[in-house]
Amino acid sequence: MTAGNERALARVNVGAVRRNCGHLRALLTGGADLCAVVKADAYGHGQAACARAALEGGAAWLGVATAEEAAALREAEGNARILVMGALTGADARTALVAGADVVAWNEALVDELGDLAGGADRPVRVHVKLDTGMGRLGTKVADRARAVADRVVADDRLELAGLMTHFATADELGDDHFPAQLSAFRAFVDRMRHSHPHVVVHAANSAAVYREPASHFDMVRCGIAVYGLDPFQEDPAERGLEPVLALESYVADVKRFEPGETAGYGRRWRAEAETWVAVVPIGYGDGVRRGLSNNADVLVRGRRRPLVGTVSMDNITIDLGAETDVEPGDRVVLIGDQDGERLLCEEAADRLGTINYEVTCGLTQRVRRLHEDR
Ligand SMILES: *Cc1c(COP(=O)(O)O)cnc(C)c1O
């Protein structure tokens, strides 16, 4: 009855990952490299396939948050340069080192621990020293202390000083004055270090910074969101030359007539005003279609926007088709993506939810099959 349909399908276009990486690389100044950030299962898009496409698209590095992510990546990509950006327990550090990933340190104790773990390895462990210029998370807050941490790395022949980094808090808030302040604090730090460490990789920019300020590109940029064709400024990605990678689809399981006053879903939070047709679509918050979209989203069926009505359930949503409809059971439903020239951006869903596109794709659950296509 619904052959060819799938209940909850994320189509992930790896061709678009490749093109987005190529586009980002073309924006980079001074020969900076692209590190494609593939943490959190590539922002929900599927780590292995996206990492491969990013490398094909010209990324020279892959960035992850956790040691486990690095280990999985190493299985798939034998030779890639991998940077683990997040905090590591002792066990995590061991996992990261076994995976041959670069790691980040911000105090001497951490450097010493890494040195001890590196002990028997046949090559030094590559460490990036992080200065906290105003993100207020990981990183050494005082430049002189960060310099001391770097010196500690250099002094330990089991370790190699591979990079100097920082992370911006407000790169996506165009016109604010915190971003330029962070950039100049980082530049001052780097300028004092570079001559004595000419081979270190200096990196700061996330996706928003890449667009906002070429002076933030340094030797490498760390782009996540833009790789997936999602806009770092929560606007239309097409305006920044980015192509959305992910589409989310379901299908119409049933179409039924509603009389005025009849209601759909838990809590009866939508009531038919007049006679209308309602489609039942078997996808819900168990798939990552958030409950905050209740009475607060559109979906596409037969190339037209239709309002999601009633409460989003764990496994179903309901759609108002209007008094006259040609929609039938089995029709494809698009929740994110395009259909016959009409489109729904992830940024729109994020805006309705009061969140950012990052959280929308990261929130898609394991129950949604990722289908990797190359278009
Ligand atoms: C996640 C992350 C990035 C990527 O940021 P985007 O905004 O997705 O480009 C870069 N650097 C660090 C340290 C991160 O944690």
Side-chain angles (χ1 to χ4, degrees):
M1 65 185 169
T2 53
N5 273 313
E6 194 162 327
R7 191 192 63 78
L9 179 66
R11 294 180 181 275
V12 176
N13 181 5
V14 295
V17 169
R18 241 180 356 246
R19 289 186 289 276
N20 290 331
C21 286
H23 175 72
L24 289 165
R25 281 191 68 210
L27 296 175
L28 299 182
T29 50
D33 275 330
L34 172 63
C35 172
V37 177
V38 296
K39 62 191 179 187
D41 202 27
Y43 294 38
H45 293 68
Q47 180 181 262
C50 290
R52 167 55 56 87
L55 293 170
E56 288 168 357
W61 289 75
L62 299 169
V64 291
T66 73
E68 295 292 333
E69 291 170 339
L73 210 45
R74 180 59 73 212
E75 289 266 303
E77 296 298 338
N79 300 314
R81 279 182 283 184
I82 300 173
L83 171 64
V84 181
M85 302 182 294
L88 303 170
T89 66
D92 293 337
R94 198 181 305 273
T95 301
L97 303 195
V98 168
D102 288 25
V103 295
V104 178
W106 53 87
N107 63 47
E108 284 95 338
L110 212 68
V111 171
D112 292 345
E113 255 184 79
L114 288 168
D116 292 342
L117 282 170
D122 47 3
R123 59 186 182 82
V125 167
R126 293 166 49 88
V127 179
H128 297 237
V129 171
K130 185 168 192 177
L131 180 68
D132 177 9
T133 54
M135 179 62 160
R137 300 191 318 203
L138 302 179
T140 321
K141 273 178 79 172
V142 179
D144 282 332
R145 268 210 59 212
R147 219 166 284 127
V149 173
D151 288 344
R152 187 85 149 212
V153 173
V154 171
D156 190 330
D157 55 15
R158 301 166 300 182
L159 304 175
E160 175 186 338
L161 180 64
L164 300 174
M165 68 186 287
T166 194
H167 192 39
F168 296 114
T170 58
D172 58 340
E173 293 173 27
L174 293 170
D176 87 306
D177 53 13
H178 191 65
F179 174 83
Q182 281 197 267
L183 180 55
S184 55
F186 185 60
R187 194 186 287 110
F189 169 68
V190 165
D191 285 347
R192 287 196 52 188
M193 304 278 293
R194 250 207 210 280
H195 58 281
S196 43
H197 306 289
H199 299 298
V200 296
V201 179
V202 174
H203 50 107
N206 57 2
S207 299
V210 164
Y211 283 94
R212 175 167 174 172
E213 180 52 82
S216 72
H217 296 176
F218 296 99
D219 302 323
M220 178 173 94
V221 302
R222 307 183 304 264
C223 290
I225 200 76
V227 165
Y228 308 104
L230 300 170
D231 187 67
F233 305 94
Q234 306 300 315
E235 291 167 356
D236 183 347
E239 283 165 25
R240 292 192 173 79
L242 298 172
E243 206 182 318
V245 168
L246 181 140
L248 179 64
E249 294 182 1
S250 183
Y251 73 96
V252 174
D254 199 8
V255 175
K256 53 215 293 189
R257 185 87 181 152
F258 272 49
E259 301 301 326
E262 288 188 316
T263 62
Y266 286 116
R268 309 185 72 200
R269 286 172 47 186
W270 175 82
R271 186 176 302 266
E273 298 288 331
E275 286 191 357
T276 191
W277 291 94
V278 170
V280 183
V281 179
I283 190 169
Y285 64 76
D287 304 291
V289 177
R290 296 251 308 270
R291 197 164 173 277
L293 294 173
S294 300
N295 283 318
N296 185 30
D298 288 336
V299 304
L300 304 177
V301 192
R302 297 207 171 189
R304 275 180 47 201
R305 279 179 178 258
R306 327 269 180 164
L308 187 164
V309 293
T311 305
V312 174
S313 315
M314 191 182 296
D315 318 305
N316 289 285
I317 56 175
T318 39
I319 309 299
D320 187 4
L321 302 172
E324 307 273 340
T325 190
D326 54 354
V327 171
E328 292 172 356
D331 283 354
R332 196 181 295 272
V333 176
V334 171
L335 294 96
I336 297 169
D338 46 62
Q339 191 181 55
D340 304 334
E342 185 64 65
R343 61 178 194 158
L344 289 172
L345 291 174
C346 198
E347 287 75 9
E348 176 181 331
D351 184 52
R352 288 176 183 260
L353 287 163
T355 184
I356 51 177
N357 45 14
Y358 298 70
E359 199 181 29
V360 173
T361 59
C362 281
L364 297 176
T365 65
Q366 286 301 315
R367 207 167 77 170
V368 179
R369 184 167 79 96
R370 272 66 167 178
L371 174 63
H372 293 101
E373 303 173 310
D374 195 344
R375 280 181 282 122

